[in-house]
Amino acid sequence: MSESNSHRLPLKSVAIALLFAVFLGPVGLLYATSFGGIILIPIGFVVVCTKLWVPILFVWLISCIWSVVATNRYNKKLIH
């Protein structure tokens, strides 16, 4: 085992990231990307306060997609 491999960060699970985003919405996005969570949490709060189902669903779908994409990017950076 070389010195560079002993200090490697662990990969993130795409399945866990998706589950967090599905059940927690923008808050679950924090697992995949803190930047995305910080951006989408206030937006999600405002949208949920409107009590309109279509925008709420749209924000939840964006959270799910963003979490999968961010997790894949994170893992690719670690591998290469």
Side-chain angles (χ1 to χ4, degrees):
M1 179 185 271
S2 70
E3 184 67 29
S4 63
N5 286 338
S6 65
H7 292 91
R8 248 170 102 177
L9 295 172
L11 297 176
K12 291 183 180 180
S13 170
V14 176
I16 297 292
L18 184 58
L19 283 173
F20 281 157
V22 167
F23 289 111
L24 301 174
V27 175
L29 186 59
L30 289 171
Y31 172 78
T33 171
S34 57
F35 174 75
I38 290 169
I39 296 296
L40 217 52
I41 287 172
I43 293 170
F45 180 75
V46 171
V47 170
V48 168
C49 287
T50 65
K51 298 180 184 175
L52 299 173
W53 286 103
V54 173
I56 292 171
L57 180 62
F58 188 64
V59 169
W60 243 251
L61 287 173
I62 289 172
S63 296
C64 293
I65 293 167
W66 197 342
S67 69
V68 170
V69 171
T71 305
N72 281 330
R73 281 188 185 161
Y74 174 83
N75 289 340
K76 282 183 183 179
K77 279 185 184 179
L78 289 182
I79 291 171
H80 290 95

